[in-house]
Amino acid sequence: MARVLFVNAGSEGHVNPTVGVVAELISRGEEVVYFTIPAYRERMEQAGAVVRTIDEDRFIQAFIAGGRRYALERINGLLRTAEVVIPGVLEQIAGEHFDYLIHDSMFGCGYLLAQILKLPAICSCTSFAQTEPEFRRMLEGSFQDAPQEEADAVWAEYRRLVKQVESNYGVRFPSPYEVFCNPAPLTVVYTTRAFQPDGEAFGENYAFVGPSIGKRITQDQVDGAALHADNPIYISLGTVFNQAADFYRLCFAAFGGSGHTVVLAIGNKVQAADLGRIPDNFIVKSYVPQKEVLQQAKLFITHGGMNSVHEALYNGVPLVVLPQSADQPLIARRVAESGAGIELRMEGLSAADLRDAAERVLRSPSYRAAAAKVGETFWQAGGYAAAAEKMMAYSRQHPII
């Protein structure tokens, strides 16, 4: 049995795919110590991990203090989180032995920890992977319209932070790529090479295992009989971008009285009572068991988070994607390129626009066929079981001597 150190402060999209991986590793005899923020303690303990926590408020404040306008400012925020993550991890594992390290691709300071602890390292990548040339193009493009003095100031801050972190921990950061992508000798990517943009550009040190879809804890239930009786349109903006009362009312206008059963998940930032009259054909809940709903749904209208898109395609459900931020525009583009759905812009969206896009997807069998085709590649890839197998095989090939 090996002892595994897993570091992932993360968010829903970064933590959820690792639940099944952790449970699978433990079922195969590994012991997993998992660092995250307190919000995810329960689900990781239910997966069987020993959970230790990172100070959530300090972590978030450090990350957002870097700024949000340019990609390099987000990288500066990640550098700032090192002063929260690294001391917190090192203090809590003092005197303990681990056989290998698994770290998140963005929120685990993995490139640093691997150097400090001298452990065989595996990167857990829950979004699309990035090659270094692609990353550099993205970084340069983010400064395209920036005043030179602003760009210079951001780069100066980056250099200051790198010097500080390198001095504090005796490590090296060759470039912003290592800060943002945390490359490791093995990177496990929770999608397929076919769905990954430019998938053939990645070498054998990238293992594309498909979506890691495990059991999810939910706080609310939906009338399953109603869902089964009339395959619903399912609408959700996920757990971050769901403070969207105007959008929910727009959905009422688009689909109220349409003959479709509509399941609308609104999260906990908006109350159903504040939305006005809810059409009779709508089921409105704070949370729903998304995977179960998607097993019945005929269409998913989504913000385009990686987990949500994967879960839909895994079940062969076509999509209308309204990307909000982060990697969602790229994910939406891949959905459209695969023929499994339509991308819309939230800005200027009308009820007619949304209704027309939904009806276009529902009327054409090609969208569902394309979603099913992508979903089949997901099923075949292996998911969390394949991820655990790859990780354990790597650890056996790179034991600590």
Side-chain angles (χ1 to χ4, degrees):
M1 178 183 75
R3 293 195 83 226
V4 186
L5 177 62
F6 203 135
V7 183
N8 184 7
S11 61
E12 291 279 341
H14 288 252
V15 171
N16 279 336
T18 70
V19 174
V21 176
V22 167
E24 185 70 16
L25 287 170
I26 291 169
S27 76
R28 297 178 183 220
E30 308 288 73
E31 179 185 350
V32 180
V33 175
Y34 196 107
F35 276 84
T36 188
I37 59 175
Y40 305 119
R41 174 187 285 278
E42 181 179 1
R43 74 187 68 178
M44 298 316 304
E45 286 181 338
Q46 289 190 1
V50 175
V51 177
R52 296 174 188 168
T53 57
I54 295 162
D55 188 314
E56 181 175 5
D57 290 337
R58 287 186 61 219
F59 180 88
I60 293 172
Q61 288 303 314
F63 181 54
I64 65 177
R68 312 293 288 173
R69 294 167 299 171
Y70 309 115
L72 189 63
E73 288 186 315
R74 294 172 185 260
I75 291 167
N76 289 345
L78 291 171
L79 284 166
R80 289 171 179 270
T81 67
E83 295 302 333
V84 180
V85 175
I86 302 299
V89 171
L90 295 181
E91 288 168 12
Q92 294 184 65
I93 67 169
E96 295 185 54
H97 167 81
F98 292 94
D99 295 286
Y100 60 101
L101 166 69
I102 306 171
H103 58 78
D104 184 64
S105 61
M106 186 180 296
F107 292 113
C109 293
Y111 193 79
L112 284 174
L113 278 169
Q115 294 180 68
I116 295 168
L117 298 173
K118 296 180 173 57
L119 287 174
I122 300 166
C123 177
S124 170
C125 182
T126 59
S127 56
F128 287 137
Q130 280 189 300
T131 63
E132 191 165 358
E134 177 196 2
F135 170 82
R136 287 175 179 169
R137 288 191 293 271
M138 179 273 292
L139 188 61
E140 292 167 2
S142 74
F143 282 116
Q144 186 173 357
D145 299 319
Q148 188 61 49
E149 60 272 19
E150 285 190 17
D152 290 344
V154 177
W155 275 107
E157 177 66 358
Y158 166 77
R159 289 188 289 270
R160 184 190 72 80
L161 288 167
V162 166
K163 184 177 180 180
Q164 175 181 300
V165 171
E166 290 182 339
S167 174
N168 287 348
Y169 299 107
V171 295
R172 292 290 297 162
F173 265 134
S175 76
Y177 176 72
E178 284 74 25
V179 182
F180 193 75
C181 295
N182 284 270
L186 173 65
T187 295
V188 174
V189 189
Y190 303 107
T191 191
T192 56
R193 198 176 286 271
F195 196 59
Q196 162 75 43
D198 199 19
E200 296 308 314
F202 296 87
E204 293 302 312
N205 59 321
Y206 285 82
F208 291 89
V209 300
S212 173
I213 298 177
K215 187 175 182 180
R216 178 177 293 178
I217 301 168
T218 57
Q219 300 177 4
D220 216 347
Q221 296 296 317
V222 170
D223 183 347
L227 303 185
H228 186 72
D230 187 2
N231 294 340
I233 293 173
Y234 172 46
I235 304 173
S236 172
L237 296 182
T239 58
V240 177
F241 302 99
N242 56 18
Q243 193 168 346
D246 289 342
F247 173 72
Y248 301 144
R249 295 187 190 100
L250 184 144
C251 292
F252 293 164
F255 302 112
S258 63
H260 301 294
T261 299
V262 181
V263 175
L264 174 62
I266 61 174
N268 59 5
K269 299 171 186 174
V270 173
Q271 301 301 312
D274 297 331
L275 297 177
R277 181 186 172 278
I278 297 173
D280 293 339
N281 60 316
F282 271 70
I283 300 169
V284 178
K285 296 283 185 178
S286 295
Y287 294 95
V288 303
Q290 178 162 290
K291 288 189 300 178
E292 287 79 357
V293 173
L294 285 170
Q295 289 170 10
Q296 303 292 339
K298 58 189 175 186
L299 172 67
F300 185 20
I301 298 173
T302 173
H303 65 302
M306 185 70 98
N307 284 351
S308 291
V309 167
H310 274 160
E311 288 176 359
L313 295 174
Y314 191 80
N315 288 285
V317 179
L319 305 107
V320 172
V321 187
L322 296 153
Q324 308 292 298
S325 183
D327 58 353
Q328 293 159 18
L330 180 57
I331 295 167
R333 193 178 317 135
R334 287 299 295 137
V335 168
E337 289 170 351
S338 71
I342 292 173
E343 177 184 0
L344 294 179
R345 292 180 179 273
M346 186 69 86
E347 184 180 357
L349 183 71
S350 69
D353 294 333
L354 185 59
R355 181 173 57 250
D356 290 347
E359 292 297 341
R360 197 185 334 157
V361 173
L362 290 170
R363 283 195 303 265
S364 174
S366 67
Y367 290 102
R368 180 165 285 275
K373 183 178 179 180
V374 176
E376 181 64 23
T377 71
F378 287 176
W379 281 82
Q380 293 174 355
Y384 57 79
E389 179 60 38
K390 295 284 187 182
M391 291 170 173
M392 293 178 69
Y394 169 81
S395 71
R396 290 191 296 267
Q397 293 165 6
H398 300 83
I400 298 176
I401 299 175

